[in-house]
């Protein structure tokens, strides 16, 4: 009788799965893998690490499932029925490095920007902090090179935590998202709340003003109108934050960084925190100014597919705004966006699969950008936007890509969509500047 000795299966490769595989190999562990559509780089890494393809009917003890795989996928259900425990990368990191302080950050919008802000603040205070998780790089790529890790956690990742307990947790907000995956808003919110489910009174949970959730952790509320530490010391006025840094994210990041510093017995240096905030820059693709010509500004917010994120962009961008919307609809609520756009947006440019439907339902003046392929469509969208803003006596305003829809109709991902927007914006600015020189 054959005794099967490999006890770990990596289910789903891609970015997260590759991080899991590299971590296991560094730890001297062996694993097998399964993926319905492995990419060439995935196969090359598995061969390099000596990991073989697995089989569903084998008796694995542990399955580490990629966040893109639904938690109720039939294969995962079968593996559970055969005795396997299904977890994800965050749970593996927590178990494998139990002494490593972790700050966990989730929310419907703002979690990526807040993650980077917290890590920046901790680095400014002298800690070797690394960010990872739902944001690049994978969490397991950084856990062995950090005094503290700041983990961006999606609802998909939080579905597969069991013992995970961050010393400091942040919930930036709770809105509507991913109903195609979670099916109900209650299930989506329940997944998010897993970030604090194992916290105790020794831990800290940061929430936005007005939100309270079940928890045993100490709770602090972050007020975007007052960028202060927990003792009330003012750090900055919200109006002095750099362009693209949202006050709500900054307020939460300050309290999270302070909380961890205090837990570690480290000094909380207010001038260092203030200086770090003043140096902060938006994460690439998140309300990022990519070009400017006189009073015209081009903002790449390609990642914004959630109502709260798009609403924040509309509120931050300088009017008059021409708003580029499109992509593939994933169920975002449009009513709050109509209100946020009122008096600020002079035109909508619809593009891609659901661009026209978005534009019609927003009940604002609109035009449609056509073309063959994502590059051409985006160039036409930017051209139409600039044409509208250039009709003013003193051309000024914002061309805002905050698209509502996902990118998968025309682009590989939101990064590729944002890069197409950036190229189009830079080309337009170059042409405008050349015309002035003439």
């Amino acid at each position: 009788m054959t005794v099967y000795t490999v006890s770990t299966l990596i289910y789903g490769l891609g970015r997260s799965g590759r991080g899991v595989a590299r971590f296991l190999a560094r730890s001297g562990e062996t694993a097998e893998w399964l993926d319905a559509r492995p990419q060439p780089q995935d196969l090359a890494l598995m061969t390099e690490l000596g990991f073989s393809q697995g089989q569903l009917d084998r008796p694995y003890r542990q399955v580490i499932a990629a966040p893109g795989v639904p938690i109720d996928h039939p294969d995962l259900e079968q593996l559970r029925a055969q005795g396997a425990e299904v977890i994800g990368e965050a749970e593996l990191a927590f178990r494998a490095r139990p002494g490593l302080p972790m700050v966990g950050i989730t929310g419907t919008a703002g979690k990526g920007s807040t993650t980077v802000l917290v890590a920046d603040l901790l680095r400014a205070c002298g800690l070797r902090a690394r960010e990872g998780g739902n944001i690049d790089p994978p969490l397991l790529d950084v856990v062995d090179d950090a005094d503290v890790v700041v983990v961006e956690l999606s609802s998909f990742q939080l579905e597969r935590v069991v013992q995970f307990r961050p010393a400091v947790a942040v919930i930036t907000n709770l809105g509507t998202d991913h109903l195609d995956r979670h099916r109900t808003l209650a299930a989506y919110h329940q997944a998010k709340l897993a970030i604090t489910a194992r916290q105790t009174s020794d831990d800290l949970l940061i929430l936005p003003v007005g939100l309270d959730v079940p928890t045993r952790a100490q709770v602090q509320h972050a007020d975007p109108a007052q960028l202060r530490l927990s003792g009330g010391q003012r750090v900055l006025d919200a109006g002095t934050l750099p362009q693209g840094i949202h006050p709500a994210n900054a307020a939460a990041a300050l309290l999270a960084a302070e909380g961890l510093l205090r837990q570690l017995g480290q000094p909380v240096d207010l001038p260092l925190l203030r200086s770090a905030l003043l140096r902060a820059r938006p994460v690439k693709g998140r309300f990022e100014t990519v070009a400017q010509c006189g009073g015209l500004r081009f903002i790449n917010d390609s990642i914004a597919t959630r109502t709260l994120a798009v609403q924040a962009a509309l509120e931050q961008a300088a009017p008059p705004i021409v708003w580029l919307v499109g992509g593939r609809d994933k169920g975002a609520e449009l009513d709050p966006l109509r209100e946020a756009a009122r008096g600020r947006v002079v035109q909508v440019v619809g593009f891609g699969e659901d661009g026209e439907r978005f534009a019609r339902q927003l009940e604002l003046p609109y035009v449609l950008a056509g073309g063959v392929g994502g590059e051409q469509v985006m160039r036409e969208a930017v051209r139409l936007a600039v044409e509208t803003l250039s009709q003013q006596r003193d051309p000024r305003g914002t061309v805002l890509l905050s698209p509502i829809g996902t990118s998968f109709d025309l682009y590989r991902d939101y990064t590729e969509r944002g890069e197409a927007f950036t190229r189009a914006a830079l080309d337009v600015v170059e042409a405008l500047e050349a015309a002035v020189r003439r």
Side-chain angles (χ1 to χ4, degrees), residues 124-416:
C125 292
L127 288 177
R128 198 164 49 116
R130 296 289 305 275
E131 60 266 46
N134 194 54
I135 193 171
D136 277 330
L139 173 60
L140 290 162
D141 278 355
V142 302
V143 292
D144 292 328
D145 185 34
D147 299 324
V148 56
V149 292
V150 187
V151 194
E152 181 190 342
L153 293 159
S154 69
S155 58
F156 300 167
Q157 289 169 309
L158 286 167
E159 280 184 318
R160 54 209 72 200
V161 299
V162 181
Q163 301 170 16
F164 180 76
R165 175 190 160 194
V168 178
V170 178
I171 301 176
T172 59
N173 42 56
L174 287 177
T176 302
D177 198 16
H178 298 305
L179 298 188
D180 53 341
R181 167 85 167 250
H182 296 289
R183 299 187 179 89
T184 68
L185 185 62
Y188 167 61
H189 286 180
Q190 193 61 40
K192 290 290 194 183
L193 294 181
I195 197 170
T196 190
R198 297 285 174 177
Q199 286 190 298
T200 73
S201 58
D202 293 330
D203 305 315
L204 177 64
L205 174 63
I206 310 297
L207 297 171
V209 170
L211 177 64
D212 288 293
V213 303
T215 184
R216 289 170 294 172
Q218 304 169 53
V219 174
Q220 292 180 3
H221 286 91
D223 185 351
Q226 303 181 43
L227 302 185
R228 300 176 183 271
L229 300 180
S230 59
Q233 306 97 314
R234 187 176 65 83
V235 179
L236 274 181
D237 291 326
T240 63
L241 286 169
Q243 172 79 21
I245 303 300
H246 197 284
N249 298 338
L254 273 172
L255 290 177
E258 178 199 9
L260 190 78
L261 288 166
R262 294 195 187 284
Q263 287 194 20
L264 297 177
Q266 298 287 323
V268 178
D269 191 318
L270 191 149
L272 282 178
L273 293 171
R274 178 185 294 122
S275 177
L277 271 183
L278 289 171
R279 294 194 308 269
R281 294 294 177 267
V283 178
K284 193 171 180 61
R286 293 170 171 85
F287 204 82
E288 176 190 15
T289 298
V290 295
Q292 194 165 357
C293 180
L296 289 177
R297 186 186 297 269
F298 298 79
I299 294 178
N300 171 20
D301 197 32
S302 178
I303 197 171
T305 60
R306 302 165 178 87
T307 301
L308 286 172
V310 177
Q311 185 175 348
L314 290 168
E315 291 168 352
Q316 286 186 83
I321 301 167
V322 177
W323 177 18
L324 276 55
V325 304
R328 183 169 294 160
D329 185 9
K330 67 170 188 175
E333 295 177 287
L334 298 185
D335 288 347
L337 301 182
R338 291 191 198 95
E339 182 62 30
R342 184 173 294 127
R344 301 176 64 80
V345 173
V346 294
Q347 187 178 67
V348 169
V349 180
F351 68 93
E353 187 173 306
D354 288 311
E356 182 175 4
R357 187 159 59 82
F358 286 148
R360 285 201 317 270
Q361 292 179 357
L362 288 167
E363 300 173 358
L364 293 163
Y366 73 88
V367 293
L368 301 176
V372 179
E375 191 78 15
Q376 189 179 103
V377 167
M378 190 59 71
R379 286 185 178 278
E380 176 66 3
V382 169
R383 185 192 70 77
L384 290 167
V386 172
E387 185 177 275
T388 295
L389 293 175
S390 296
Q391 291 171 3
Q392 305 167 91
R393 180 176 301 174
D394 177 23
R396 61 182 179 81
T398 304
V399 179
L400 173 66
L401 172 65
S402 195
I404 307 175
T406 66
S407 56
F408 306 121
D409 57 333
L410 290 170
Y411 309 93
R412 182 178 64 249
D413 52 28
Y414 81 88
T415 300
E416 184 175 82

Side-chain angles (χ1 to χ4, degrees), residues 291-293 424-438:
Q292 194 165 357
C293 180
L426 289 171
D427 285 351
V428 165
V429 166
E430 183 179 352
L432 289 172
E433 291 176 342
V436 170
R437 289 194 297 272
R438 289 197 297 270

